[in-house]
Amino acid sequence: EDKVVQSPLSLVVHEGDTVTLNCSYEVTNFRSLLWYKQEKKAPTFLFMLTSSGIEKKSGRLSSILDKKELFSILNITATQTGDSAIYLCAVERGSNYKLTFGKGTLLTVNP
Amino acid sequence: NAGVTQTPKFQVLKTGQSMTLQCAQDMNHEYMSWYRQDPGMGLRLIHYSVGAGITDQGEVPNGYNVSRSTTEDFPLRLLSAAPSQTSVYFCASSSWGRVTDTQYFGPGTRLTVL
């Protein structure tokens, strides 16, 4: 059975802090790992990672994948209150686009 | 492009009632899926489809039916609603066979079963 574990489950920080969110996985026939941000509505896509060691970056957010150790991290630097959200990690199994999601990390950024 | 649309936004049912959650996309995506999201549980795949006429079960399919008669539409049917089906339901779509593509999510339907 595919498994995706995110940690921590929740995190409270102050504006300006840097945070690291973790995602470890066990999946048959791994194809890709995806990060989503979910505020009050539907998840919105952040990153897709398929290769080890290549950092994806978008503004203050960055992510990297380690296929040997089966984990990914999502970094957010200089956090802002608008970063408050649930961050979801999902792993895609090859051949059928099935995504298995982790339970998410609830990030709260206080002013 | 409207993207992925879902109706209704909210619904309250009584135990035993049936209903259909609608999902449509106008991006000509082959792949469509339904997820449910419960507090602290992430998203769990209910059913998915890789094209018109083809559907398959996900992680939590019991109590739900789907069909895919057109590329655009992928309705989710609750046959006999139960309180355990109280959840937020998301429909998603993506292009099939493109490694760099991602899933686009609809706005969700919040369902309460009394």
Side-chain angles (χ1 to χ4, degrees), chain B residues 23-79:
Chain B
C23 174
Q25 52 89 12
D26 60 0
M27 297 173 281
N28 204 30
H29 283 169
E30 296 91 341
Y31 183 87
M32 297 184 75
S33 54
W34 277 101
Y35 296 89
R36 60 177 288 174
Q37 186 173 34
D38 303 296
M41 294 294 292
L43 278 81
R44 291 184 291 171
L45 182 65
I46 304 171
H47 286 285
Y48 68 100
S49 168
V50 300
I54 307 168
T55 64
D56 204 349
Q57 296 181 348
E59 185 184 348
V60 288
N62 292 341
Y64 307 95
N65 271 1
V66 291
S67 60
R68 184 98 179 266
S69 55
T70 67
T71 300
E72 295 78 20
D73 300 298
F74 190 43
L76 178 73
R77 277 182 285 279
L78 280 71
L79 307 171

Side-chain angles (χ1 to χ4, degrees), chain B residues 84-101:
Chain B
S84 60
Q85 293 178 304
T86 293
S87 189
V88 180
Y89 291 84
F90 290 103
C91 178
S93 76
S94 65
S95 288
W96 177 252
R98 291 180 56 185
V99 174
T100 58
D101 206 359

